[in-house]
């Protein structure tokens, strides 16, 4: 009979394994989290104890078990248009500036990164905001036209299962009820049985890619805007500093960053200045300090 209770030593081993492979830093009080999220995997792999399960994971050369552990430990909490402020700032401040730069030839395209995108609600919320903005500009007769083709949205996550669901762009009613305004649902989704399918035009605006935030951001290219929201709260202070420093190098001059409403760069990175608009906060890159 497997032992469902994790020992202190087993917790320390698995905690180190999890932090090494996905950056999540667990305090001593989080032993229950490993128990509840990894017990099923432990049993499925025929292990009697968490210690045996750790050894199996540490010795396995393939990524299969590691990815299952990451999937189990990763929090995939997400909403449509979460917190509202970033999308107001995007629509009223950033997109008009981007459009002006595109028309003037100062930029050839706009690259946006949705990091830790989970099951896709954030990058698709960005895409719908851009699509709506472009249509409104066209309706106002503003020329030359700026279309969604000028915007490239890269959405990344460490979880293969989250990326699979995001790429499918099919959502159940519970997911649809979490922050999606009726106007967007009626315009951009179609009911198909018990699920809602996203308009292919919006789906094509987003490219999904597996990415670990502990890896080099330079491999993704440069960006004009980054959404890095509600993920660094799970990381150590050292990892946060590394990520923000690397992100500053990947952002274009004056590129912008959105964090979660409860997050801040204070004491972590001096390469951004804090800006406010209509009650919301965002950060603008100010230098390429090494």
């Amino acid at each position: 009979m497997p032992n469902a209770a994790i020992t202190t030593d087993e917790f320390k081993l698995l905690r180190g394994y999890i932090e090494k492979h996905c950056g999540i830093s667990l305090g001593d009080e989080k032993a229950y989290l490993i128990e509840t999220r990894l017990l099923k995997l432990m049993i499925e792999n025929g292990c009697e104890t968490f210690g045996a399960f750790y050894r199996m994971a540490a010795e396995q050369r393939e990524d299969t078990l590691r990815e299952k552990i990451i999937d189990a430990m990763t929090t995939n909490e997400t909403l449509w248009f979460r917190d509202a402020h970033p999308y107001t700032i995007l629509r009223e401040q950033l997109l008009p500036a981007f459009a002006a730069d595109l028309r003037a030839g100062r930029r050839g395209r706009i690259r946006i990164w949705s990091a830790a995108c989970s099951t896709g609600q954030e990058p698709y919320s960005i895409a719908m905001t851009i699509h709506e903005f472009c249509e409104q500009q066209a309706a106002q007769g503003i020329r030359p036209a700026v279309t969604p083709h000028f915007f490239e949205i890269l959405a990344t996550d460490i979880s293969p299962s989250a990326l699979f669901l995001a790429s499918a762009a099919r959502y159940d009613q519970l997911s649809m009820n979490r922050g999606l305004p009726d106007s967007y649902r009626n315009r951009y989704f179609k009911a198909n049985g018990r699920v809602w399918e996203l308009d292919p035009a919006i789906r094509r605006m987003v490219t999904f890619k597996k990415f670990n935030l502990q890896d080099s951001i330079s491999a993704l290219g440069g960006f004009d805007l980054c959404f890095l929201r509600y993920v660094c709260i799970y990381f150590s202070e050292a990892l946060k500093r590394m990520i923000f420093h690397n992100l500053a190098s990947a952002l274009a001059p004056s590129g912008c960053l959105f964090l979660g409403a409860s997050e801040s760069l204070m004491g972590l990175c001096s390469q951004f200045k804090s800006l406010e608009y209509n009650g919301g906060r965002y950060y603008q890159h100010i230098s390429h300090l090494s």
Side-chain angles (χ1 to χ4, degrees):
M1 187 72 178
N3 184 359
I6 192 169
T7 68
T8 300
D9 288 342
E10 289 171 338
F11 169 66
K12 289 178 179 178
L13 288 170
L14 282 166
R15 175 172 64 180
Y17 179 92
I18 291 163
E19 183 161 6
K20 175 183 177 182
H21 291 293
C22 63
I24 296 174
S25 180
L26 299 172
D28 292 339
E29 76 284 358
K30 294 296 179 68
Y32 76 92
L33 203 59
I34 289 181
E35 279 188 4
T36 56
R37 295 194 179 186
L38 297 186
L39 178 60
K40 182 180 178 182
L41 268 180
M42 184 187 89
I43 294 171
E44 287 177 352
N45 283 273
C47 298
E48 295 292 320
T49 66
F50 282 100
F53 181 64
Y54 164 77
R55 289 189 290 275
M56 176 182 286
E59 294 168 4
Q60 190 178 78
R61 294 184 178 181
E62 298 81 13
D63 292 339
T64 308
L65 183 55
R66 180 190 307 166
E67 289 188 350
K68 289 181 178 179
I69 291 172
I70 290 171
D71 263 350
M73 294 304 303
T74 303
T75 301
N76 288 318
E77 172 71 14
T78 188
L79 303 168
W80 300 98
F81 298 95
R82 189 172 186 178
D83 297 336
H85 288 304
Y87 301 97
T88 299
I89 295 169
L90 176 62
R91 182 174 58 253
E92 298 180 6
Q93 289 285 99
L94 301 184
L95 288 178
F98 289 153
D101 283 350
L102 289 167
R103 290 191 179 95
R106 291 188 291 269
R107 302 175 193 255
R109 63 175 177 168
I110 304 298
R111 294 197 77 223
I112 300 173
W113 180 23
S114 170
C117 68
S118 189
T119 49
Q121 282 87 333
E122 179 177 89
Y124 289 140
S125 295
I126 297 168
M128 286 185 282
T129 301
I130 292 171
H131 189 274
E132 184 178 58
F133 171 82
C134 290
E135 286 200 338
Q136 290 172 348
Q137 293 266 295
Q140 293 169 16
I142 301 175
R143 297 290 185 269
V146 170
T147 70
H149 297 290
F150 286 100
F151 295 85
E152 179 183 333
I153 304 170
L154 176 66
T156 67
D157 202 275
I158 196 173
S159 167
S161 64
L163 289 171
F164 177 81
L165 293 171
S167 298
R170 290 162 55 87
Y171 297 94
D172 61 20
Q173 189 62 56
L174 180 61
S175 299
M176 296 292 288
N177 290 343
R178 305 197 68 199
L180 184 67
D182 290 346
S183 59
Y184 283 92
R185 181 199 63 200
N186 296 337
R187 183 173 185 184
Y188 293 114
F189 289 85
K190 179 177 68 175
N192 185 355
R194 295 186 177 182
V195 300
W196 291 81
E197 297 178 342
L198 181 62
D199 185 330
I202 302 299
R203 193 168 69 241
R204 287 193 295 266
M205 291 177 64
V206 183
T207 299
F208 291 96
K209 181 182 178 68
K210 184 183 174 188
F211 182 72
N212 188 331
L213 285 166
Q214 297 180 105
D215 296 338
S216 172
I217 295 174
S218 63
L220 302 178
F223 297 96
D224 300 285
L225 175 62
C226 176
F227 285 67
L228 182 62
R229 312 181 68 233
Y230 299 108
V231 58
C232 288
I233 54 176
Y234 300 107
F235 296 159
S236 67
E237 295 297 295
L239 181 53
K240 289 178 187 178
R241 289 190 182 92
M242 184 196 81
I243 290 172
F244 292 133
H245 178 84
N246 291 342
L247 178 59
S249 298
L251 276 174
S254 300
C256 292
L257 167 66
F258 286 112
L259 299 179
S262 60
E263 299 176 274
S264 169
L265 287 180
M266 188 176 296
L268 295 172
C269 186
S270 61
Q271 295 169 259
F272 294 87
K273 64 179 178 181
S274 176
L275 300 174
E276 291 189 14
Y277 175 77
N278 199 24
R281 183 182 301 275
Y282 63 111
Y283 296 87
Q284 188 176 57
H285 180 222
I286 57 175
S287 69
H288 282 284
L289 299 173
S290 59

